[in-house]
Amino acid sequence: MSKTEKNNLQKQNKENKENGQVYGYLRVSTEAQKLINNRQRITDKKNDLQLSGNIIWIEEKVSGLVNWKERELGKLVDNLKSGDVIIMSELSRISRNGLEITEFISVVLNKGAQVFSLDMQIPIDNSPMSLMFISGIAAGAQMERDNISIRTKAALQQRKNAGQVLGRPKGSKSSYTKLSNYKEDIARRVLLGVPYKRIAKDFKVTPQTMSKFIHDNNLKPKTP
């Protein structure tokens, strides 16, 4: 880290101590132990940065394929003030889309806030070194997303070629039931006017299933 970067970080940290709120962001994993460990690591990072005040935790159980603007992360960014700080475990928690990661960082920095990620050993800012690291992580997240898609399609094709019946086994938990875990996220997207077809695609269900779920749970805003 250059002397100028250190001075800028010290200056920003001083402002954070006086005015900023620290947020810990966790896109929840099904592994409880990993979640606990990440909370502790974020707390340790906050202490290392000598930031004052309590951490406000933002946790959500949602796919990284859903645009960050349409998640709790989007609400957090909307309410950010200059001097606020977001600490997360990995930049890939923002999205599996490389462009969305860089967009998120740009929006936060333009608000005068800061982002710290445990997988970045240098400050996240507009310096050439930082931008190079961010680009590498964003590209890696995008490649992982693409590889998962390729592996999934290959595995399904292999099962199909072997004569296996694809689809949900009889008696297994339905896609409709699984949507209940994302009820708040779906309701918010409906309120924003996101088309049902797009919502259904992001949550990997049919438009008919999504439409029925929205109707049955009264998620559609009432007309005045």
Side-chain angles (χ1 to χ4, degrees):
M1 185 187 308
S2 68
K3 184 176 180 180
T4 300
E5 289 172 334
K6 287 182 179 179
N7 290 337
N8 290 339
L9 180 58
Q10 290 174 354
K11 181 180 178 181
Q12 183 67 63
N13 284 347
K14 182 178 180 181
E15 294 175 355
N16 290 340
K17 291 178 187 178
E18 297 173 351
N19 304 312
Q21 173 63 55
V22 181
Y23 297 92
Y25 176 72
L26 293 163
R27 183 155 58 81
V28 180
S29 168
T30 55
E31 302 176 39
Q33 189 60 46
K34 184 176 181 180
L35 175 60
I36 294 172
N37 290 340
N38 283 338
R39 284 179 68 107
Q40 184 58 54
R41 292 173 64 211
I42 289 174
T43 300
D44 292 342
K45 181 66 174 180
K46 177 242 181 190
N47 293 335
D48 289 342
L49 294 169
Q50 299 182 358
L51 299 173
S52 61
N54 295 324
I55 297 176
I56 293 180
W57 295 98
I58 308 296
E59 299 179 3
E60 58 180 344
K61 186 176 181 181
V62 63
S63 169
L65 299 179
V66 178
N67 191 293
W68 64 268
K69 294 179 182 178
E70 299 166 358
R71 292 157 32 195
E72 291 301 314
L73 188 57
K75 293 181 183 179
L76 168 59
V77 172
D78 287 343
N79 295 317
L80 280 180
K81 300 184 296 295
S82 179
D84 286 348
V85 175
I86 301 175
I87 305 176
M88 59 183 62
S89 59
E90 303 172 8
L91 288 183
S92 62
R93 297 291 87 191
I94 300 170
S95 176
R96 286 293 183 185
N97 183 308
L99 291 177
E100 289 181 11
I101 292 176
T102 53
E103 176 191 41
F104 168 85
I105 292 173
S106 177
V107 171
V108 172
L109 294 180
N110 285 336
K111 282 177 169 282
Q114 276 190 300
V115 183
F116 289 95
S117 179
L118 302 183
D119 60 349
M120 285 276 289
Q121 300 303 312
I122 62 174
I124 296 175
D125 52 31
N126 290 316
S127 67
M129 182 65 71
S130 180
L131 293 175
M132 182 180 72
F133 272 90
I134 292 169
S135 296
I137 291 175
Q142 182 72 48
M143 288 177 63
E144 178 62 18
R145 173 183 177 175
D146 294 343
N147 286 337
I148 289 173
S149 176
I150 292 172
R151 291 196 299 268
T152 299
K153 290 179 180 178
L156 290 175
Q157 186 61 49
Q158 186 176 23
R159 290 174 59 188
K160 184 177 181 180
N161 293 341
Q164 297 183 30
V165 178
L166 303 181
R168 179 170 59 89
K170 185 177 180 180
S172 66
K173 192 174 183 180
S174 69
S175 297
Y176 183 94
T177 303
K178 291 178 181 178
L179 289 177
S180 60
N181 294 326
Y182 309 105
K183 186 175 179 179
E184 292 184 2
D185 294 316
I186 294 171
R188 182 168 181 269
R189 300 188 74 191
V190 171
L191 188 61
L192 290 171
V194 180
Y196 290 4
K197 187 175 181 180
R198 167 69 185 277
I199 302 175
K201 181 179 179 181
D202 288 338
F203 288 93
K204 301 185 184 305
V205 299
T206 65
Q208 292 79 8
T209 296
M210 181 58 69
S211 179
K212 185 176 188 307
F213 180 84
I214 292 172
H215 177 270
D216 292 349
N217 289 274
N218 297 316
L219 302 183
K220 185 176 181 180
K222 295 182 179 179
T223 304

